[in-house]
Amino acid sequence: MVLARAARIILVGAPGVGKGTQTERLMKRFPLLSSISSGDLLRKNVRERTPLGIQAEAKMKTGELVPDAMILRLIINELTTRGWIQDNTLRPYSVYSSSTGVDDADTTVDSVLIPSQFRAKKYQHSESPSASFVLDGFPRTAAQAVQLDAIVPINLVVSIQTPPEVIIERICNRWVHEPSGRVYNTTFNPPKVEGKDDATGEPLTRRADDDPEVWKARLKRFKETNESLLEHYDKLGVLWTVNGNSSDEISPQLFKEFGRRFGAVGN
Ligand SMILES: *[C@@H]1O[C@H](CO)[C@@H](O)[C@H](O)[C@H]1NC(C)=O
Ligand SMILES: *[C@@H]1O[C@H](CO)[C@@H](O)[C@H](O)[C@H]1NC(C)=O
Ligand SMILES: *[C@@H]1O[C@H](CO)[C@@H](O)[C@H](O)[C@H]1NC(C)=O
C-alpha cells in the first residue's frame, strides 16, 4: 500500500504484547516504512567502533545505562544520514539569515529578535512518504519523549492493550526447538510428545525473554512509565489505542487506522 505522507510512529505496549510482530507486518504491508531501533543502532555503533559506540560500550561495561543523550545522538545521526532530518544551524543560510546576509551569528540574532514560538527549530524534517519509520526502543518515558519532540515530531503513537494475564499465558505456553526455530504453544499447537520437537524428538526450550520472572520484572518497569508516556502523546493529539488478545486480532485494526491516516486515496 502506498503512503500519502510521512508516518513517524511509535508502538507502546507491555513486554510480550507483540510490538515486533506488528512492526514486521506493517513494514510488509507498507513497504516505504522502515524500522529504526535504538538497540540495533547501539549494537551497530559498538560493533563498528564509532566514537559514540566506544563511549556507550564503556558505560555498559560498568553496568550503567546508556544516557539518553547518547541514544538521541544515535537517532539524530541515523535520521540525518538517511536525509530525513537536517540540522538548520549547519546550513550556510538559515531561513532568517538569508534576508540579512548574516549566517553563523544568526542564532544570537534569532534569540534576541524573534519570539521563541517563531524561532526556527534546530531540526527540519522531511514530510516525504519515504521518510516513514517505526521508532523502536525509545522513548520509554515522558521526559525522553520531550527530548525526541525537539528533533522530530512523532505523528502516531499506538498503545497496544492486551491484558497482562493473556500475555503471560501466551509466554508460558510458548516452547521452541532452538536449532530449527519451530515454535509450539501448548494450547493451540502442542508437540506430539510433551517437551519434544515433532520432527527430531529433541528437547524444547523457552526463549530467554519468555522466562516468566524476567517478564514480570520487565512489566514492572514498563508500568512505571507507560501512563505518563501515553499521557504526553495524548496531549499532543497523536495517541491511538488498540485492544486485542492476540497479534492477529490487533493487526487488521492497526492496518485500517494506519491506512486511514497515512494511506494514499484509492488504496
Ligand atoms: C499458538 O499457535 C498457533 C499456531 O501456530 C497460533 O496461530 C496462535 O496464535 C498461537 N497462540 C498463542 C497464544 O501463542
Ligand atoms: C500501562 O500498562 C499497564 C500494564 O500493561 C496497563 O494495565 C495500563 O492500562 C497501561 N496504561 C495505559 C494508560 O495504557
Ligand atoms: C481477552 O481476554 C480476556 C481475559 O481472558 C477476556 O476477558 C476478553 O473477553 C478477551 N477479549 C477478546 C476480544 O477476546
Side-chain angles (χ1 to χ4, degrees):
M1 231 190 220
V2 182
L3 297 181
R5 63 191 189 100
R8 296 177 293 271
I9 88 171
I10 291 172
L11 307 182
V12 179
V17 82
K19 296 188 290 283
T21 302
Q22 298 304 343
T23 301
E24 277 170 28
R25 290 178 180 177
L26 274 175
M27 286 167 62
K28 226 170 162 181
R29 181 132 174 150
F30 302 93
L32 274 183
L33 201 58
S34 304
S35 163
I36 296 191
S37 149
S38 58
D40 287 350
L41 292 178
L42 192 57
R43 283 184 285 276
K44 178 164 165 257
N45 276 264
V46 169
R47 204 170 52 236
E48 291 174 0
R49 316 291 310 148
T50 68
L52 254 170
I54 291 169
Q55 281 178 43
E57 192 179 37
K59 291 276 178 199
M60 291 187 284
K61 276 198 174 134
T62 61
E64 281 174 77
L65 286 176
V66 179
D68 291 353
M70 279 191 196
I71 304 286
L72 280 165
R73 181 43 65 189
L74 291 171
I75 294 171
I76 291 170
N77 287 353
E78 181 67 17
L79 296 179
T80 305
T81 305
R82 289 174 181 246
W84 295 353
I85 61 169
Q86 192 175 25
D87 184 340
N88 287 323
T89 59
L90 295 180
R91 288 193 307 164
Y93 300 102
S94 83
V95 178
Y96 297 110
S97 63
S98 54
S99 54
T100 60
V102 182
D103 50 48
D104 281 341
D106 73 295
T107 39
T108 37
V109 173
D110 276 4
S111 44
V112 173
L113 298 180
I114 303 167
S116 64
Q117 67 268 37
F118 300 121
R119 217 174 285 156
K121 277 206 133 188
K122 181 157 191 242
Y123 294 97
Q124 213 170 42
H125 61 273
S126 165
E127 285 293 352
S128 157
S130 60
S132 291
F133 59 88
V134 180
L135 184 60
D136 172 41
F138 191 95
R140 293 189 195 278
T141 67
Q144 291 173 343
V146 169
Q147 297 180 64
L148 183 67
D149 291 344
I151 297 162
V152 68
I154 295 300
N155 56 11
L156 175 62
V157 174
V158 177
S159 168
I160 303 179
Q161 303 262 358
T162 303
E165 60 276 15
V166 173
I167 301 176
I168 186 74
E169 188 177 304
R170 188 157 74 204
I171 284 174
C172 289
N173 286 350
R174 184 160 50 208
W175 293 88
V176 295
H177 177 242
E178 200 100 39
S180 68
R182 272 187 288 277
V183 180
Y184 297 86
N185 66 53
T186 42
T187 318
F188 297 94
N189 167 32
K192 291 192 186 98
V193 179
E194 196 186 320
K196 298 274 162 52
D197 178 47
D198 287 352
T200 64
E202 287 168 352
L204 301 176
T205 52
R206 265 206 174 117
R207 299 192 304 203
D209 276 357
D210 286 351
D211 180 306
E213 290 311 312
V214 171
W215 177 79
K216 278 181 196 156
R218 292 176 62 210
L219 180 67
K220 183 164 169 285
R221 279 203 302 278
F222 171 74
K223 279 177 155 176
E224 285 164 6
T225 57
N226 71 325
E227 305 272 348
S228 59
L229 178 65
L230 294 173
E231 196 183 315
H232 172 82
Y233 285 120
D234 194 21
K235 278 191 197 138
L236 294 178
V238 296
L239 179 64
W240 179 74
T241 300
V242 58
N243 291 282
N245 283 351
S246 69
S247 294
D248 290 348
E249 273 175 41
I250 290 164
S251 294
Q253 302 179 65
L254 178 56
F255 289 169
K256 195 171 160 211
E257 183 65 19
F258 192 86
R260 196 179 70 74
R261 290 183 185 231
F262 301 107
V265 181
N267 269 326

